[in-house]
Structure formats: structure tokens, C-alpha cells
């Protein structure tokens, strides 16, 4: 490729950040400061070599953003030279993600969650305080800037905020964990706490342990959460002492086909929201003649109200690593990608640590457990895009393209990551594989109800006494779950499944929390969100927040979603204070647009964006 | 005469299209089948020289058994499938998509847009006077062509033509996200500072007139653009030995625009800066 670069020079820090990721430039053609005689005589690389490196684009953008706080023209140009990427394309990728900025901004960025769970617990007042103290969002003050954020996955401690600071620590402190940024989670947040943390991120109070999000922690009946809070998440020895890596040994004894048979027998279906049978997905991937096969773990948990995967990854990181190894073995993959949400710094740190510990002990690498099976896992950080949790958008994001969904068919099992057969599984789905192998598929299937087998994690947030992650066998109903969490007295509505899910009324608490039970009740289990709202919450504002969320997170690729989400939000704005006949016309309009979005959008985002609002109108009678 | 390359015979796929048993060569899209059967399905992001992005969604049809509608331009015909092109559900989506487009962008130069809006009884005004629009000023940063993104429906065709599907220049890409997504050079720089080589192949594929010759843009602004009065003469470009066909669009004895036949085996509709824009010497009159 004959690319034209802008010629803008990177700063020393930007150059160093990129070189730390990619190594020093091998020749003048790839951005070395000097062009040698050898460079002029020998050409290396070319378009095919560039193709192999394109997937480093997102990590390279992260490297600069982590070090400097934003991506300048010079930095982008240097990345493009290093990776042989057209500057226009790289600019398109950089501007796709909300954690990146291509305009100068302070090193410290405070993300204040204003999404559903936080809105139900005082995010509005918090933002009001921040406005009076620091000005409007986006105004730089004292080397920091605050901005409103979609759900940060910290719903049990709402209202929440995440502070990200670019650059190393103070006075020569070396960056750790492969990243030069520093982060602090402040939740529950108050304006003074945020102000103090922003002034001095390093002295922000430490986060509570992951187990604090699990009210049932230590309960012997737990299956998926059994190690959270009882085992040191940083210690591989602890994990093994608690029964870790027995599933992988069992997998090697069974062979790949045997593993898939157990998963099929167990009746495991995906926990990310779509409830597709995991065994069938694995079987279809394993059977593909084309290779190599890839495993992608979807840890881009961004559905508002969802935080179960974060708690699993922070509280029991080795379980995910082991489960991915089992899955990779079953589908015949040598490489797994763990696509982790960019807003989860602690999960990144814990998983990075778990990966290196597993590698050091031969539990990952060229010869896993001496069984002649080669497998390794790479963590890829997202950069603030809900859409990248869509199973094909995740491929584009890993490949260094804009995170836009692909149209299906072809399906991922046939043409997925890098165009090769790929199995994509959610974190919770994968972790379920461990008890399946430890106890056998049939024993796993004995728990549950109907075609929903095993246990399910529920993310309970909003106006309850004990918000957090609850694990219940399938078959429990909403009343059982709320009984554990201590619901609000004046219950107004429960949102099931997140922003893409649906509302149910207080008189519908007998809905069984199974895939078929919720479907029969005309709602969805989705990713397991149970957001409880009492009558202190203004529902039209909550609906408006949902519509804003989808408008902000639409990738913009297809018309029904790109423009439809905007029209829906406009209509909700118009009727925010109206009811009855005053709202009827706009509701009819939203129904028409919603139908087209559901029918004609490319991916699940557009197809489900209208669900929650529709259910609020039909089931709760919000605008009556 | 155009040489017809010999290929292996393609198997035929049999399926039901609007109740009619239909046979099309394997690999054909539903749109191919519809067109072969004389059905008129609206399309924007589909083009005869490009692989469609299927982003515009005006061509959606109903495939029996599918949860959602399918884009006719991209979905391949499969044996035994039942396709309905004119159901209320499909027509509803097409209508809403046209309304969403017409309420946010300027479709005044999109061929057939007015006809489709009428056919589907689309009422873009019903989103109210405050409905957000793209609201872009035309970008006039060079003497050859104009980018009027107020008319852009983000069909991705220009990006694909500039990039790996034809030109391999990669001067433009989609930047931003959602409703704020725009076709852009790096850092939104003027074309003159970008990698653009002014082949104009993006103009050739633009379905809405968002990209146009400067000559056409100026004449439209002056109210002198008169397409019915134009003649089209296809000839061979004289600049080099490749032998590209150029079609000269002439109004009042002046070349106002140059295209290339899409079925030409040399160009497939593409030209270089010389063939596309280097016509002034023809009409230099002393």
C-alpha cells in the first residue's frame, strides 16, 4: 500500500508509548527517526505484513491514550506508520470509541455514571453538585475534566464514578500491569469524595473486595460464586486448593468431543442474553474444516445494570482462565481473546495477573498441563463502546476496525474473528463449564427448570436493601429473588434484562426467572439485570435515559438505528411531562419507528432498543 | 466486442418469491432474483460495481421463518426459502427508513427518492420541525469536486470505492459514531491535505449526489443544471494506452461531467484524475 501520512511528528512520550507496545521501529519506513542506507535498498513488510498487524491498532491507541490522555495528530500518524494503516481509517477507529479523544484534554478524566441504577440512587443530585463545583461536564478544571458516563457496571454501589488518569504515577513511579494509567473507582460517590479523588487519585480510598458485591458470599449452595470472597483472587495456589483446574484435567480425560457432549448434556445456554445452546455453538465451530479456530470471551459487559461478569472476573479470575482453556480445547483453538470492557480496570489487573501466573505454571502456553495442547489467551481492552459486546462487532474491534456489527449470515462459527471459525461466549457462560465438567453434564442439568438448567446470576440494583449479585437455581421467581435483596416498600416497577430488556409490574413477581418463563410472560431475562424502582423515581426520566443510551451507543451503520434512536429520544423528550391524549400521537410515532428498528436493524442493538420503552408504555402504563 | 469469460456452469437455486417458484444461479442475491423477475425494490447502498454494505435498509424483504427482515441486496437466495417482497411489514420498514432519511438529510438530488417517498406514503415531516438533521455545509475545498454531506446517507459506497474495493487510496473513512458519524478524512482535513488522488470514483458511486463535480454543483447553485438537455457520448480516453471508456456529459456544448460505463470491462465505472477531470483542453476555444 502506498499510504500518505500527514507528517505530523509525535512527541517523545507518544513515540515511547507506541514503541513500548510494538517494539522499536525496524526501519525508516515504519517510522524510525533515521532512514538508513539499508532502508533505501531493502523493502520489507508490505500490504500482507500490514494486514497481520492491523489488530494492534486498538492496543496502540490505548497505549497513547493511557500515557498522554488523548491522541494527537502526531501520535495517530506515528501509529499509522508503524502499522501501515491509512490515517483516515485510523482516525475513523479512534473517533468510534468514547474513551479516546482526538482533541486535547486533561490527563484526569472523571466518568460519572448517570445510567439507570445510578439515576435511581442519586446520580442526578451528584451531577448537580459537580456542576456547581466544577462547571458543566467537559470543562477542564485543575488538570481534570468530568463527564457523564453510561453504566459503569458498579450498580451495587450506585451512584458510581470512575477516575482515569493518563501517565505514570507521581514522581517517576513506574507504570504497572502493562498500562501506564492510573484509575480509581469511587462508589458510592459524593461530590466531596470525587473532588478529593480527582485532586489526588493515588490516595483515593481502596475499593471494597469483589465479595462485597455478593450478599450470599460464603453460602455453600453457591456454584458459580463459590470462590468469590473465600479464595484469594491473586493466588493460583489458593484457586487450586479450592478445586481449581480439576475441570481442565477432566476435559483432557474426556477429549474435545467428550467435553462438547457433556456441555450438550448439561443443556447449557448462553448467559449473555441470547440464550443460544453453548454445546451446539462449540460443536459447529469444532467441525469447521477451515482453520485456525478462535475462542473469544465476551467480557465487554456494558448492558446498563449488569455487573455479574465484573464480579466474577474480579473475585475469581482463574476460573475464567480455566474455563477458556477448556472451551479452547473443545473447539480446537490455540488462541483465545478475552475482550474486556475498558472501564473495568480492576478486572484487567486481576486477569492479567492470573494469566501470567497460569503461564508460569504451564497451565497456558505451548504444552498445557503436559497434554500436548497449546493454548494462550490475550486480553484486549475495549475503549467505551456498548456495541462491541455484539458478537460480530467484537471481531471488528479486535481486528482494529470500527466496532460495527457484521451482517449474518455468515455466522461466527463459520466466519468469525479474522474470517475464521470462532466461538464467542460470555464470561458467565464459560464459568458454567467448570461445574459441568466437575460434576458431569447430567448432574448439572438436574438443577433448574425445564430447558433452563443450572444456576443463574442476577444483578440486583436500584431501590433494594442489599443490592448485588445473587446466584439462584433456575426456577426461582422474581419474588424469591427480591425477598433476598430486600425490596423497596413502594415498588413501582422492575426492569428485567437491562436497557434492552423490559419492565414488569409489582403484581407480576411470580414470573419464573427462566428463559422460557420470562418469554412466556412477554419479557426477557437478558443478561440477568433486575433493576428495582420505587415510586420516588420518575419513570419518564428513566425512559429518556434509556433512549439517550441507545442514541449514544448506536454505531451509526444502519439507518433504522442511527436515525431511529434519535427520533425515539426526541419523542420521549416531548412527552416527558405529558400523559393521555397529549402523549398519544408521539407514542404512536414511536411504535411505528420502533417496529421498523426491530425489523430492519442490522444487529441486536437496534432491534431491541425500543423494547424497554414499549414495555413501560404497555405494561406500566407510564403515560396514561 | 466484450469477451465473455467461460466459467463453470452455476447450479440453479430454487425458491419461492412472492408465491412464484423462482430459479436463480447459485450465489445470486434476493435482489438479483427480484430484478430478474421484474420487481422494483428501492436501493441506496447497493451498487452494481460494489459489494453492498447493506446499511441503508430500504431494500428489506420478508423471509419466512426469520425473526427480522432481510436486506435483499445482500441476502443470498437459498434453496427452499420463501421470500415475500411486498408485505405490509416490509413496506412499513421501507417507509419508516425513507422517512428517517428524508427527515435527517437532503434527498433532493437522490434519483427516485421523491418517487419512493410517494409510493410508500412516507411523511418525513411528522417528526416535527425540531427533528435533528445532519446539517452540514457543503465542503468546497478543491476545484474538482464538492462534498455536500447534508445529502449523505452514510451508505459507505464512497469509502469502499476509495478503499479496498477499487481505488486502494483510503483517503476517507467513516469517523465518529451514531448520528454524529460522518464520512471524513483524517482529522477532518480538507481533501487537498488528504490522501485523495481525485479519481472521482467516489462521485461515480454516490447514490444521493452528496458527492458531485464542482461543475455540476456550481450549475445547480446557479439554476442552470439541466439534465434532460444533456447528451452523453461514450468514447475512449486519450491520455494513456489502457483504453478506458469515458462518457462525456455535455450541456450547451460544454462538458459538465465525466463518467464511465459500469459494465466496461476495463474501468467498471472507475477512472483516474485525467480521465475524470482532464477535459478542459477539449473545450479551450481561442
Amino acid at each position: 500500500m502506498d499510504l500518505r501520512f500527514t507528517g505530523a511528528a509525535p512527541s517523545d512520550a507518544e513515540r515511547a508509548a507506541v514503541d513500548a507496545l510494538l517494539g522499536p521501529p525496524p526501519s525508516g519506513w515504519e517510522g524510525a527517526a533515521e532512514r538508513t542506507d539499508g532502508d533505501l535498498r531493502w523493502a520489507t513488510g508490505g500490504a500482507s505484513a500490514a494486514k497481520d498487524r492491523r489488530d494492534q491498532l486498538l492496543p496502540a491507541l490505548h497505549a497513547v491514550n493511557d500515557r498522554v490522555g488523548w491522541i494527537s495528530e502526531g501520535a495517530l500518524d506515528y501509529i499509522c506508520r508503524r502499522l501501515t494503516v491509512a490515517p483516515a481509517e485510523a482516525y475513523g477507529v479512534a473517533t468510534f470509541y468514547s474513551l479516546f479523544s482526538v482533541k486535547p484534554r486533561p490527563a484526569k478524566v472523571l466518568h460519572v455514571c448517570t445510567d439507570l441504577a445510578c439515576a435511581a440512587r442519586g446520580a442526578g443530585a451528584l451531577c448537580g453538585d459537580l456542576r456547581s463545583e466544577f462547571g458543566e461536564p467537559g470543562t477542564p478544571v485543575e488538570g481534570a475534566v468530568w463527564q457523564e458516563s453510561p453504566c459503569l457496571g458498579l450498580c451495587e454501589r450506585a451512584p458510581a464514578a470512575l477516575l482515569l488518569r493518563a501517565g505514570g504515577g507521581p514522581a517517576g513511579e513506574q507504570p504497572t500491569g502493562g498500562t501506564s494509567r492510573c484509575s480509581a473507582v469511587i462508589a458510592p460517590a459524593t461530590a466531596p469524595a470525587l473532588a478529593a479523588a480527582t485532586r489526588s487519585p493515588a490516595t483515593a480510598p481502596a475499593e471494597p473486595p469483589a465479595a462485597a458485591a455478593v450478599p450470599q458470599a460464603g453460602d455453600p449452595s453457591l456454584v458459580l460464586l463459590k470462590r468469590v470472597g473465600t479464595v484469594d483472587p491473586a493466588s493460583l495456589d489458593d484457586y487450586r486448593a479450592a478445586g481449581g483446574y480439576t475441570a481442565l484435567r477432566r476435559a483432557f480425560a474426556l477429549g474435545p468431543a467428550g467435553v462438547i457432549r457433556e456441555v450438550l448434556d448439561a443443556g447449557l445456554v448462553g448467559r449473555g442474553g441470547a440464550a443460544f445452546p453453548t454445546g451446539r455453538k462449540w460443536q459447529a465451530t469444532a467441525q469447521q474444516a477451515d482453520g485456525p479456530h478462535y475462542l473469544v470471551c465476551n467480557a465487554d459487559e456494558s448492558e446498563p445494570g449488569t455487573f455479574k461478569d465484573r464480579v466474577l472476573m474480579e473475585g475469581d479470575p482463574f476460573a475464567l482462565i480455566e474455563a477458556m482453556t477448556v472451551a479452547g480445547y473443545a473447539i480446537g483453538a490455540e488462541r483465545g481473546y478475552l475482550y474486556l470492557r475498558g472501564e473495568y480496570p480492576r478486572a484487567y489487573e486481576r486477569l492479567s495477573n492470573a494469566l501470567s501466573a497460569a503461564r508460569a505454571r504451564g497451565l497456558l502456553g505451548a504444552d498445557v498441563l503436559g497434554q500436548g495442547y497449546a493454548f494462550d489467551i490475550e486480553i484486549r481492552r475495549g475503549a467505551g463502546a456498548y456495541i462491541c459486546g455484539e458478537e460480530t462487532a467484537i471481531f471488528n474491534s479486535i481486528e482494529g476496525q470500527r466496532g460495527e456489527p457484521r451482517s449474518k449470515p455468515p455466522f461466527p462459527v463459520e466466519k468469525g474473528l479474522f474470517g475464521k471459525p470462532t466461538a464467542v461466549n460470555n464470561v458467565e457462560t464459560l464459568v458454567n463449564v467448570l461445574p459441568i465438567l466437575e460434576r458431569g453434564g447430567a448432574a448439572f442439568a438436574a438443577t433448574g427448570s425445564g430447558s433452563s438448567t443450572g444456576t443463574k446470576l442476577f444483578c440486583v440494583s436500584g431501590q433494594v436493601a442489599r443490592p448485588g449479585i445473587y446466584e439462584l437455581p433456575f426456577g426461582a421467581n422474581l419474588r424469591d429473588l427480591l425477598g433476598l435483596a430486600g425490596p423497596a416498600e413502594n415498588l413501582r416497577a422492575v426492569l428485567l434484562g437491562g436497557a434492552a430488556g423490559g419492565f414488569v409490574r409489582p403484581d407480576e413477581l411470580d414470573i419464573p426467572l427462566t428463559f422460557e418463563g420470562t418469554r412466556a410472560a412477554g419479557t426477557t431475562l437478558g443478561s440477568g439485570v433486575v433493576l428495582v424502582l420505587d415510586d420516588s423515581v420518575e419513570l419518564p426520566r428513566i425512559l429518556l435515559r434509556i433512549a439517550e443510551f441507545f442514541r449514544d451507543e448506536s454505531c451509526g451503520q444502519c439507518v433504522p438505528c442511527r436515525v431511529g434512536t434519535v427520533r425515539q429520544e426526541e419523542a420521549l423528550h416531548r412527552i416527558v411531562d405529558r400523559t393521555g391524549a397529549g402523549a398519544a400521537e408521539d407514542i404512536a410515532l414511536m411504535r411505528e419507528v420502533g417496529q421498523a428498528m426491530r425489523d430492519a436493524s442490522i444487529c441486536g442493538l437496534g432491534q431491541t432498543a425500543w423494547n424497554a420503552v414499549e414495555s413501560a408504555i404497555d405494561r406500566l402504563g407510564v403515560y396514561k | 466486442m466484450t469477451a465473455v469469460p467461460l466459467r463453470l456452469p452455476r447450479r440453479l437455486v430454487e425458491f419461492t418469491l412472492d408465491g412464484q417458484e423462482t430459479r436463480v444461479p447459485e450465489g445470486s442475491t434476493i435482489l438479483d432474483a427480484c430484478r430478474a423477475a421484474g420487481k422494483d425494490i428501492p436501493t441506496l447502498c447497493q451498487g452494481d460495481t460494489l459489494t453492498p454494505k447493506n446499511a441503508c435498509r430500504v431494500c428489506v424483504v420478508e423471509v419466512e421463518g426469520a425473526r427480522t427482515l432481510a436486506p435483499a441486496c445482500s441476502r443470498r437466495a437459498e434453496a427452499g426459502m420463501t421470500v415475500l417482497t411486498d408485505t405490509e411489514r416490509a413496506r412499513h420498514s421501507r417507509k419508516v427508513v425513507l422517512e428517517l432519511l428524508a427527515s435527517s438529510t437532503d434527498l433532493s438530488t437522490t434519483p427516485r427518492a421523491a418517487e419512493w417517498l410517494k409510493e410508500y406514503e412516507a411523511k418525513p415531516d411528522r417528526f416535527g420541525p425540531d427533528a435533528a438533521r445532519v446539517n452540514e455545509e457543503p465542503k468546497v475545498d478543491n476545484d474538482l469536486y464538492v462534498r455536500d454531506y447534508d445529502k449523505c446517507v452514510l451508505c459507505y459506497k464512497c469509502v469502499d470505492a476509495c478503499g479496498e474495493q477499487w481505488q486502494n487510496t483510503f483517503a476517507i473513512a467513516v469517523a465518529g459514531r451514531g448520528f454524529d458519524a460522518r464520512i471524513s478524512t483524517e482529522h477532518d482535513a480538507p481533501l487537498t491535505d488528504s490522501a485523495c488522488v481525485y479519481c472521482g470514483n467516489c462521485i461515480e458511486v454516490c447514490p444521493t449526489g452528496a458527492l458531485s463535480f464542482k461543475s455540476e454543483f456550481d450549475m445547480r447553485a446557479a439554476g442552470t443544471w439541466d439534465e434532460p438537455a444533456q447528451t452523453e457520448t461514450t468514447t475512449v480516453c486519450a491520455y494513456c494506452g489502457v483504453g478506458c471508456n469515458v462518457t462525456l456529459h455535455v450541456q450547451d456544448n460544454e462538458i459538465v461531467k465525466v463518467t464511465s460505463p459500469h459494465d466496461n470491462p476495463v474501468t467498471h465505472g472507475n477512472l483516474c484524475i485525467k480521465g475524470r477531470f482532464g477535459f478542459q483542453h477539449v473545450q479551450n476555444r481561442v
Side-chain angles (χ1 to χ4, degrees), chain A residues 439-463:
Chain A
R439 301 186 306 184
F444 180 91
T447 308
S449 150
S451 61
S452 303
T453 57
T455 58
K456 177 80 191 85
L457 300 183
F458 295 99
C459 317
V460 184
S461 61
Q463 275 116 1

Side-chain angles (χ1 to χ4, degrees), chain A residues 491-564:
Chain A
L491 193 59
R492 173 73 175 94
V494 179
L495 177 63
L496 291 181
F503 286 96
V504 297
R505 291 187 306 272
D507 61 357
E508 295 180 295
L509 298 186
D510 293 322
I511 293 177
L513 295 173
T514 58
F515 293 111
E516 55 275 16
T518 46
R519 206 177 301 130
T523 182
T524 175
L525 212 49
S527 54
V529 172
V530 178
L531 174 66
V532 180
L533 301 173
D534 70 11
D535 56 12
S536 70
V537 172
E538 289 178 63
L539 277 171
R541 307 248 163 226
I542 291 282
L543 300 185
L544 197 50
R545 183 66 187 95
I546 292 175
E548 269 171 21
F549 174 80
F550 283 113
R551 180 208 59 200
D552 288 347
E553 299 296 338
S554 167
C555 76
Q557 190 180 199
C558 69
V559 176
C561 179
R562 179 178 75 233
V563 191

